[in-house]
Amino acid sequence: MPSLTLNGVTVNFPFPPYDCQKDYMGKVIECLQKKQNGVLESPTGTGKTLCLLCATLAWREHFKDTISARKIAEKLNGEEMFPNTPMSSWGTAATDGATPTYYTDIPKIIYASRTHSQLAQVISELKNTSYSPKVCVLGSREQLCINQEVLRQESNHVKVHMCRGKVSTRSCVYYNNVEEKSTDKDLVKSILDVEDLVKFGNKQRVCPYYLSRSLKQQADVIFMPYNYLLDPKSRRAHNIELNGAVVIFDEAHNVEKTCEESTSFDLTPYDVASAISAVDRLLVEQSKEATVSEDFNVETLNSGLKVNIETIAKIKQILLDLEAVIDSYDVPSEKGITKSGIFIYELLERVHLTYNSKTAVYEALEQITGHLSGQPGIFLNTSGLQKLADIIQLVFCGEPSEKDRQQQMQTNTAHFKVHIHRDKSYHKKPQSTDVWASSSSKKQGNILSYWCFSPGFSMQDLVNQGVRCIILTSGTLSPLSSFTCEMRIPFPVSLENGHVIERDQIFVGIIERGPDGVHLSSAFDRRFLPENMASLGNTVANLSRVIPDGLLVFFPSFPLMEKTMDFWRANGHADRIENVKPMFVEPKGKGTFNEVIDGYYNKVNDPTSMGGTFFAVCRGKASEGLDFADTFGRGVIITGLPFPPKMDPRVILKMQFLDEMSRKKTPGLKYLSGQEWYKQQAFRAVNQAIGRVIRHKEDYGAILLCDQRFKGSGARAQLPSWVRPYVRLYESFGNVIRDVSQFFRVAQKMRPLVEKKAAAQSCGTVCSPDTRSSAFPSGSSSQSAHTQKAKELDAHLPSLKRRRLNEHSGANGMARICIEYECEVQESQKRPANLLDALERGDHCGGEDDDAVVGEEKADRLSTLSLQCDKRMDDEMRGGKRKIKLVQEQKSRLSEDVSGEGSSSSRVRSFLAEMKKSLSQFNFDRIIQALQTYKKTDSLDVLLTEAAVLTEDTNTHCLLRGLYQFVRPHHKKRFDEKCQQLTGQGCGYKPNHALSVDEKKALMLQSATASQPAVGLTSSTWTSTCSQLNTQQLNKGGPHLNQQGPRDPQTGSASKRDVPAAFLADVKKAIGAEKSARLFQAIQSYKKTDSYEELVTTVVSLFTERDEDFNLLIRFSMFIPPRHKKQYKEMLDALIGQSVSAAEVHAASEDHQRQGSSSPPLKTQSKISSFFSRSQRK
């Protein structure tokens, strides 16, 4: 693994780094060594995550080595350990000068990203490095809990309280195993993500949630979503120690928003009303218990509830007062009332919530919520109580002194606003939906909002915890100056990195007008104009024809996308796009997103399609963490600027807040103006969406900005630095189409990627995972670079990783027919490596699904075939050169082709291509569908009915006869007669055409037997004969040919295929499916471990339960490898009491197939037990 030295630190990197990667790692190490904060931007596709991990872990190892050097120097009292290597050269950069440093001072690395799926990708990258630190991933109970009773709960906070209850009473079996399993060597040394932790927990019956918290104590690197770090409540809940730690925020373009949201809240009338209802229920319950109980003790009511009725009543009074205070404000319907941040303390003081009372109220709320959450029976909504508890933690943070309280209140005034506004959701919801809701929850009220407008508030809090340094990094942080000034902490180290791609890999165009000359704009006054939506639809439809494979189209918002799509469907634009690239639309909810994105990936991978179009929203799920590398994203269209909603109260107040701060001109602090922030939000979202296209050094794609507002110099300056040099402004749409077409023609020639072949190959491997490694050990050539890239893409895309394709998912239509045909032609050419493999293969691939695609080698050839068909059609559809040949010219050739035996795949391919040229698309699809139906149902009538269209024109009669090659042998004669009747010419039917493959083989063997002399064969003649003949069929399994003469291990394939198939059928018939599965599991285990004893124990137990199955035990010796043949024969001899020869094994197999009877009953059980006891004594 290559290594390089940066700032005195040796970094091991998986491959020679690019210059931009060296620059990036150098800046990371600078931050770590100098204890300085850094903001580092590096475009997506430059290996940012890998650089970050390698640089950070290399510095940490260097830090540790330097401490070791210092300790050794102290022991040596200034003497040198190695004369040629003075101690001073070992480096001191990591130990902060003269400060005494101990191993306990080695900083922990806290690596935070936005979501767990992004963290899973980071951990996957870590596994590719040479570093193996102790790691831990923190997650919520919702992700890590495996207790089914807890998981069944609807609300997350109910899960939390139920879990705590079970832990406190030690009634969770998974939690009880944590202490024992937390020291497991495999666990401590492994690098596990959330999914791996859950698998480990299920396997070992241990709680993954508390296991991760236990691992956190010893971990070198702790991974977590960054809201765990920025939200003070979550930080306390997970007990995250920050003193001296290195904090890294990856994908940091969302940090600003998360900082603000984690310290804000909205308290709705429904929250307060549901809390009152919950407390009411508890009061009624406690009153009943008090009445029943004569020994009434208010301190210890009801199993574990540690609050008395008076405390519960006080909580209810606080809630009633809070509701009354919030609703006492007469709020204007539109604007609402805005107060400074300190007003929250005044409002809460009126309901008796202060720093002095907050602890008692918070503990009471926790007790009540925990008690109600643990109750069985009807679900009770406790979210309102939880919301109030969270508010108390947020507003009254920590335990400050009286002096510090005033300072904290003043700080809140500077960064927060209190906003009271009408609950508009009251008008939107039907009033009678919830029959269980209390009357108080059905009335309209006011919402109390407490909003943070300075992300620097949370960042300053992290600095106050004593972190070593904070590194913010992402692909879209520019402009860096405005990003850092909002954080209110210094960032001395900064980097705005370039990309690793060349000029010919990126096309950036600003499209001012559509094909009809109408200005394109998503501005508020133009976005819903019919002419604007129509022009945008024509633009996307035309671009979809010249951009190959996958196309991404981003809208500013969901409502705009929905209305535009409705207009396109009503006016035909959607049909135009659909006909070229099928449309997939990002759903609002999380539930169906994976299905939609998988459908898009499948369509792009489909060799018969021209790709797909994925419509998504800026700031949506598709614009953030998903990887649209290579063919999955050859182009991205931005349909407008996604400005935040200008009339939203929070947006208005944010802009006012920034304007106020700008006017104050605080020394050392520079704030954006409200308008600058507003524009920046739109361009950050655009830049994030743009980043979906170029994902690695060899990728290429087009970025098309379809809004006239992009043409201004100010707008272009907001684009990423790696995009700006390539921007072209177009006034004529025709020039766009010309230049985009030219760009992709050049790019495809310079960087040819046949991704669809790789996709088909992965399909083959998924279909038969158990056979690919052993069945064809040397059959396929080494994989090409693009195949490797496709596999890496699958690994980084959870949705691709989860996808399980059936044998036809890689193709449909014409290419599928080619694939299926070639499957049948080449099936006989496949050879298992040995009989055990053949037996296992027969179990996995035989039976119901005769057409399953098996092995990577076949998938390679099949995908090549389908690609050749697909490429010709694609070239024609894109307006490439097309050779026109009259069908009449092909007539004689086609009739000659179809009359011969063993039609090749190339003939099938050319026939289907000719048929596609000669027929309309509708008729061609009908014929293809008829062939597929015939393949599944074996109904010749269906095929003949649909093929009748070929009899209408004499020019297409030869096409009807061409279908003869797809007809199965038992239908050949009838099809030939039908063609003779309809067209006056047959298909060249001969009697041997009606023979099945097996019948043809038998006929061939018989003729070979008749023509060969019985004796006097030379060795060379014998070898060549063996390559054609099946010796078992020649001598009926007798010993006289099977035990002598040289034999080619790769010949006699028909026999070898028949033997495991016949044996498999007999086994399933004799012992049933369940026991057969045990047998094949034992075979698989034997192949991996070579444990003969385990295999033979299973085989003997299965085949000796009944005396009539004993001959299966004898026949099984055919599948035992030579190294264990002798042991197996000794076992059989001991069981039977006489020697079993190979001839008898074959005879047993033949007799069983011929007679369907078993060997004579033997008294085997006592012999088996005695045999094994003897073996153990030996």
PDB file of all heavy atoms in Angstrom, residues 375-397:
ATOM      1  N   GLN A 375     -47.680   0.930  30.637  1.00  0.00           N
ATOM      2  CA  GLN A 375     -48.983   0.320  30.902  1.00  0.00           C
ATOM      3  C   GLN A 375     -49.474  -0.472  29.695  1.00  0.00           C
ATOM      4  O   GLN A 375     -49.406  -0.001  28.557  1.00  0.00           O
ATOM      5  CB  GLN A 375     -50.019   1.393  31.242  1.00  0.00           C
ATOM      6  CG  GLN A 375     -49.876   1.927  32.664  1.00  0.00           C
ATOM      7  CD  GLN A 375     -51.051   2.808  33.043  1.00  0.00           C
ATOM      8  OE1 GLN A 375     -51.627   3.459  32.183  1.00  0.00           O
ATOM      9  NE2 GLN A 375     -51.395   2.813  34.308  1.00  0.00           N
ATOM     10  N   PRO A 376     -49.984  -1.689  29.919  1.00  0.00           N
ATOM     11  CA  PRO A 376     -50.572  -2.450  28.812  1.00  0.00           C
ATOM     12  C   PRO A 376     -51.949  -1.898  28.462  1.00  0.00           C
ATOM     13  O   PRO A 376     -52.489  -1.029  29.154  1.00  0.00           O
ATOM     14  CB  PRO A 376     -50.681  -3.867  29.398  1.00  0.00           C
ATOM     15  CG  PRO A 376     -50.823  -3.650  30.869  1.00  0.00           C
ATOM     16  CD  PRO A 376     -50.044  -2.406  31.199  1.00  0.00           C
ATOM     17  N   GLY A 377     -52.531  -2.417  27.382  1.00  0.00           N
ATOM     18  CA  GLY A 377     -53.896  -2.010  27.027  1.00  0.00           C
ATOM     19  C   GLY A 377     -53.910  -0.900  26.003  1.00  0.00           C
ATOM     20  O   GLY A 377     -53.019  -0.794  25.169  1.00  0.00           O
ATOM     21  N   ILE A 378     -54.903  -0.034  26.080  1.00  0.00           N
ATOM     22  CA  ILE A 378     -55.124   0.992  25.046  1.00  0.00           C
ATOM     23  C   ILE A 378     -53.947   1.964  24.983  1.00  0.00           C
ATOM     24  O   ILE A 378     -53.363   2.326  25.999  1.00  0.00           O
ATOM     25  CB  ILE A 378     -56.446   1.748  25.316  1.00  0.00           C
ATOM     26  CG1 ILE A 378     -56.782   2.662  24.136  1.00  0.00           C
ATOM     27  CG2 ILE A 378     -56.366   2.547  26.600  1.00  0.00           C
ATOM     28  CD1 ILE A 378     -58.191   3.209  24.202  1.00  0.00           C
ATOM     29  N   PHE A 379     -53.578   2.337  23.776  1.00  0.00           N
ATOM     30  CA  PHE A 379     -52.458   3.259  23.584  1.00  0.00           C
ATOM     31  C   PHE A 379     -52.828   4.646  24.080  1.00  0.00           C
ATOM     32  O   PHE A 379     -53.899   5.164  23.786  1.00  0.00           O
ATOM     33  CB  PHE A 379     -52.100   3.329  22.094  1.00  0.00           C
ATOM     34  CG  PHE A 379     -51.082   4.392  21.798  1.00  0.00           C
ATOM     35  CD1 PHE A 379     -49.751   4.213  22.138  1.00  0.00           C
ATOM     36  CD2 PHE A 379     -51.461   5.586  21.204  1.00  0.00           C
ATOM     37  CE1 PHE A 379     -48.822   5.193  21.867  1.00  0.00           C
ATOM     38  CE2 PHE A 379     -50.527   6.567  20.926  1.00  0.00           C
ATOM     39  CZ  PHE A 379     -49.202   6.364  21.264  1.00  0.00           C
ATOM     40  N   LEU A 380     -51.919   5.235  24.861  1.00  0.00           N
ATOM     41  CA  LEU A 380     -52.139   6.589  25.380  1.00  0.00           C
ATOM     42  C   LEU A 380     -51.023   7.485  24.848  1.00  0.00           C
ATOM     43  O   LEU A 380     -49.842   7.155  24.967  1.00  0.00           O
ATOM     44  CB  LEU A 380     -52.114   6.572  26.914  1.00  0.00           C
ATOM     45  CG  LEU A 380     -52.430   7.903  27.586  1.00  0.00           C
ATOM     46  CD1 LEU A 380     -53.877   8.313  27.314  1.00  0.00           C
ATOM     47  CD2 LEU A 380     -52.199   7.820  29.089  1.00  0.00           C
ATOM     48  N   ASN A 381     -51.397   8.594  24.250  1.00  0.00           N
ATOM     49  CA  ASN A 381     -50.420   9.492  23.654  1.00  0.00           C
ATOM     50  C   ASN A 381     -49.710  10.291  24.744  1.00  0.00           C
ATOM     51  O   ASN A 381     -50.312  11.132  25.411  1.00  0.00           O
ATOM     52  CB  ASN A 381     -51.140  10.432  22.682  1.00  0.00           C
ATOM     53  CG  ASN A 381     -50.154  11.253  21.867  1.00  0.00           C
ATOM     54  OD1 ASN A 381     -48.964  11.291  22.161  1.00  0.00           O
ATOM     55  ND2 ASN A 381     -50.653  11.901  20.830  1.00  0.00           N
ATOM     56  N   THR A 382     -48.410  10.023  24.904  1.00  0.00           N
ATOM     57  CA  THR A 382     -47.627  10.752  25.911  1.00  0.00           C
ATOM     58  C   THR A 382     -46.626  11.704  25.255  1.00  0.00           C
ATOM     59  O   THR A 382     -45.710  12.192  25.918  1.00  0.00           O
ATOM     60  CB  THR A 382     -46.854   9.757  26.807  1.00  0.00           C
ATOM     61  OG1 THR A 382     -46.071   8.905  25.968  1.00  0.00           O
ATOM     62  CG2 THR A 382     -47.801   8.917  27.637  1.00  0.00           C
ATOM     63  N   SER A 383     -46.794  11.964  23.956  1.00  0.00           N
ATOM     64  CA  SER A 383     -45.836  12.827  23.253  1.00  0.00           C
ATOM     65  C   SER A 383     -45.841  14.252  23.793  1.00  0.00           C
ATOM     66  O   SER A 383     -44.818  14.926  23.806  1.00  0.00           O
ATOM     67  CB  SER A 383     -46.131  12.844  21.751  1.00  0.00           C
ATOM     68  OG  SER A 383     -47.429  13.334  21.510  1.00  0.00           O
ATOM     69  N   GLY A 384     -47.015  14.730  24.239  1.00  0.00           N
ATOM     70  CA  GLY A 384     -47.095  16.081  24.794  1.00  0.00           C
ATOM     71  C   GLY A 384     -46.270  16.223  26.060  1.00  0.00           C
ATOM     72  O   GLY A 384     -45.578  17.234  26.265  1.00  0.00           O
ATOM     73  N   LEU A 385     -46.336  15.208  26.944  1.00  0.00           N
ATOM     74  CA  LEU A 385     -45.534  15.227  28.169  1.00  0.00           C
ATOM     75  C   LEU A 385     -44.043  15.205  27.841  1.00  0.00           C
ATOM     76  O   LEU A 385     -43.246  15.924  28.458  1.00  0.00           O
ATOM     77  CB  LEU A 385     -45.889  14.019  29.039  1.00  0.00           C
ATOM     78  CG  LEU A 385     -47.289  14.026  29.676  1.00  0.00           C
ATOM     79  CD1 LEU A 385     -47.609  12.672  30.281  1.00  0.00           C
ATOM     80  CD2 LEU A 385     -47.390  15.120  30.738  1.00  0.00           C
ATOM     81  N   GLN A 386     -43.673  14.384  26.840  1.00  0.00           N
ATOM     82  CA  GLN A 386     -42.273  14.303  26.443  1.00  0.00           C
ATOM     83  C   GLN A 386     -41.801  15.627  25.865  1.00  0.00           C
ATOM     84  O   GLN A 386     -40.670  16.061  26.107  1.00  0.00           O
ATOM     85  CB  GLN A 386     -42.092  13.170  25.425  1.00  0.00           C
ATOM     86  CG  GLN A 386     -40.643  12.871  25.084  1.00  0.00           C
ATOM     87  CD  GLN A 386     -39.868  12.346  26.284  1.00  0.00           C
ATOM     88  OE1 GLN A 386     -40.348  11.482  27.017  1.00  0.00           O
ATOM     89  NE2 GLN A 386     -38.677  12.887  26.514  1.00  0.00           N
ATOM     90  N   LYS A 387     -42.667  16.288  25.093  1.00  0.00           N
ATOM     91  CA  LYS A 387     -42.322  17.579  24.489  1.00  0.00           C
ATOM     92  C   LYS A 387     -42.032  18.612  25.588  1.00  0.00           C
ATOM     93  O   LYS A 387     -41.050  19.368  25.486  1.00  0.00           O
ATOM     94  CB  LYS A 387     -43.478  18.052  23.589  1.00  0.00           C
ATOM     95  CG  LYS A 387     -43.289  19.431  22.944  1.00  0.00           C
ATOM     96  CD  LYS A 387     -42.243  19.453  21.856  1.00  0.00           C
ATOM     97  CE  LYS A 387     -42.730  18.854  20.565  1.00  0.00           C
ATOM     98  NZ  LYS A 387     -43.708  19.622  19.841  1.00  0.00           N
ATOM     99  N   LEU A 388     -42.856  18.654  26.616  1.00  0.00           N
ATOM    100  CA  LEU A 388     -42.633  19.613  27.705  1.00  0.00           C
ATOM    101  C   LEU A 388     -41.328  19.319  28.436  1.00  0.00           C
ATOM    102  O   LEU A 388     -40.581  20.250  28.790  1.00  0.00           O
ATOM    103  CB  LEU A 388     -43.815  19.581  28.681  1.00  0.00           C
ATOM    104  CG  LEU A 388     -43.768  20.604  29.821  1.00  0.00           C
ATOM    105  CD1 LEU A 388     -43.697  22.027  29.273  1.00  0.00           C
ATOM    106  CD2 LEU A 388     -44.982  20.460  30.743  1.00  0.00           C
ATOM    107  N   ALA A 389     -41.028  18.034  28.648  1.00  0.00           N
ATOM    108  CA  ALA A 389     -39.767  17.669  29.307  1.00  0.00           C
ATOM    109  C   ALA A 389     -38.574  18.118  28.462  1.00  0.00           C
ATOM    110  O   ALA A 389     -37.586  18.643  28.993  1.00  0.00           O
ATOM    111  CB  ALA A 389     -39.723  16.157  29.536  1.00  0.00           C
ATOM    112  N   ASP A 390     -38.657  17.944  27.142  1.00  0.00           N
ATOM    113  CA  ASP A 390     -37.571  18.372  26.254  1.00  0.00           C
ATOM    114  C   ASP A 390     -37.402  19.886  26.279  1.00  0.00           C
ATOM    115  O   ASP A 390     -36.276  20.407  26.236  1.00  0.00           O
ATOM    116  CB  ASP A 390     -37.851  17.914  24.823  1.00  0.00           C
ATOM    117  CG  ASP A 390     -37.766  16.399  24.664  1.00  0.00           C
ATOM    118  OD1 ASP A 390     -37.194  15.746  25.556  1.00  0.00           O
ATOM    119  OD2 ASP A 390     -38.293  15.878  23.654  1.00  0.00           O
ATOM    120  N   ILE A 391     -38.522  20.616  26.342  1.00  0.00           N
ATOM    121  CA  ILE A 391     -38.466  22.084  26.382  1.00  0.00           C
ATOM    122  C   ILE A 391     -37.752  22.558  27.637  1.00  0.00           C
ATOM    123  O   ILE A 391     -36.928  23.485  27.598  1.00  0.00           O
ATOM    124  CB  ILE A 391     -39.897  22.666  26.297  1.00  0.00           C
ATOM    125  CG1 ILE A 391     -40.451  22.481  24.871  1.00  0.00           C
ATOM    126  CG2 ILE A 391     -39.928  24.138  26.705  1.00  0.00           C
ATOM    127  CD1 ILE A 391     -41.925  22.811  24.739  1.00  0.00           C
ATOM    128  N   ILE A 392     -38.055  21.918  28.765  1.00  0.00           N
ATOM    129  CA  ILE A 392     -37.406  22.307  30.023  1.00  0.00           C
ATOM    130  C   ILE A 392     -35.894  22.099  29.914  1.00  0.00           C
ATOM    131  O   ILE A 392     -35.098  22.953  30.337  1.00  0.00           O
ATOM    132  CB  ILE A 392     -38.000  21.492  31.200  1.00  0.00           C
ATOM    133  CG1 ILE A 392     -39.443  21.940  31.455  1.00  0.00           C
ATOM    134  CG2 ILE A 392     -37.159  21.657  32.461  1.00  0.00           C
ATOM    135  CD1 ILE A 392     -40.190  21.073  32.454  1.00  0.00           C
ATOM    136  N   GLN A 393     -35.475  20.957  29.320  1.00  0.00           N
ATOM    137  CA  GLN A 393     -34.041  20.694  29.161  1.00  0.00           C
ATOM    138  C   GLN A 393     -33.369  21.718  28.246  1.00  0.00           C
ATOM    139  O   GLN A 393     -32.223  22.105  28.462  1.00  0.00           O
ATOM    140  CB  GLN A 393     -33.842  19.289  28.572  1.00  0.00           C
ATOM    141  CG  GLN A 393     -33.861  18.176  29.601  1.00  0.00           C
ATOM    142  CD  GLN A 393     -33.322  16.894  29.002  1.00  0.00           C
ATOM    143  OE1 GLN A 393     -33.884  16.361  28.062  1.00  0.00           O
ATOM    144  NE2 GLN A 393     -32.229  16.403  29.544  1.00  0.00           N
ATOM    145  N   LEU A 394     -34.099  22.132  27.225  1.00  0.00           N
ATOM    146  CA  LEU A 394     -33.531  23.041  26.236  1.00  0.00           C
ATOM    147  C   LEU A 394     -33.415  24.468  26.773  1.00  0.00           C
ATOM    148  O   LEU A 394     -32.363  25.114  26.652  1.00  0.00           O
ATOM    149  CB  LEU A 394     -34.402  23.022  24.976  1.00  0.00           C
ATOM    150  CG  LEU A 394     -33.950  23.910  23.822  1.00  0.00           C
ATOM    151  CD1 LEU A 394     -32.601  23.460  23.289  1.00  0.00           C
ATOM    152  CD2 LEU A 394     -34.980  23.879  22.696  1.00  0.00           C
ATOM    153  N   VAL A 395     -34.483  24.961  27.379  1.00  0.00           N
ATOM    154  CA  VAL A 395     -34.512  26.362  27.831  1.00  0.00           C
ATOM    155  C   VAL A 395     -33.671  26.546  29.086  1.00  0.00           C
ATOM    156  O   VAL A 395     -32.892  27.501  29.206  1.00  0.00           O
ATOM    157  CB  VAL A 395     -35.969  26.813  28.073  1.00  0.00           C
ATOM    158  CG1 VAL A 395     -35.994  28.231  28.642  1.00  0.00           C
ATOM    159  CG2 VAL A 395     -36.765  26.748  26.773  1.00  0.00           C
ATOM    160  N   PHE A 396     -33.824  25.617  30.036  1.00  0.00           N
ATOM    161  CA  PHE A 396     -33.078  25.717  31.298  1.00  0.00           C
ATOM    162  C   PHE A 396     -31.904  24.746  31.236  1.00  0.00           C
ATOM    163  O   PHE A 396     -31.903  23.699  31.894  1.00  0.00           O
ATOM    164  CB  PHE A 396     -33.984  25.389  32.487  1.00  0.00           C
ATOM    165  CG  PHE A 396     -35.200  26.267  32.578  1.00  0.00           C
ATOM    166  CD1 PHE A 396     -36.448  25.800  32.183  1.00  0.00           C
ATOM    167  CD2 PHE A 396     -35.112  27.573  33.047  1.00  0.00           C
ATOM    168  CE1 PHE A 396     -37.571  26.599  32.267  1.00  0.00           C
ATOM    169  CE2 PHE A 396     -36.231  28.385  33.126  1.00  0.00           C
ATOM    170  CZ  PHE A 396     -37.465  27.902  32.731  1.00  0.00           C
ATOM    171  N   CYS A 397     -30.912  25.077  30.443  1.00  0.00           N
ATOM    172  CA  CYS A 397     -29.808  24.164  30.169  1.00  0.00           C
ATOM    173  C   CYS A 397     -28.787  24.201  31.294  1.00  0.00           C
ATOM    174  O   CYS A 397     -28.325  25.280  31.691  1.00  0.00           O
ATOM    175  CB  CYS A 397     -29.151  24.552  28.846  1.00  0.00           C
ATOM    176  SG  CYS A 397     -27.908  23.400  28.296  1.00  0.00           S
TER     177      CYS A 397
END
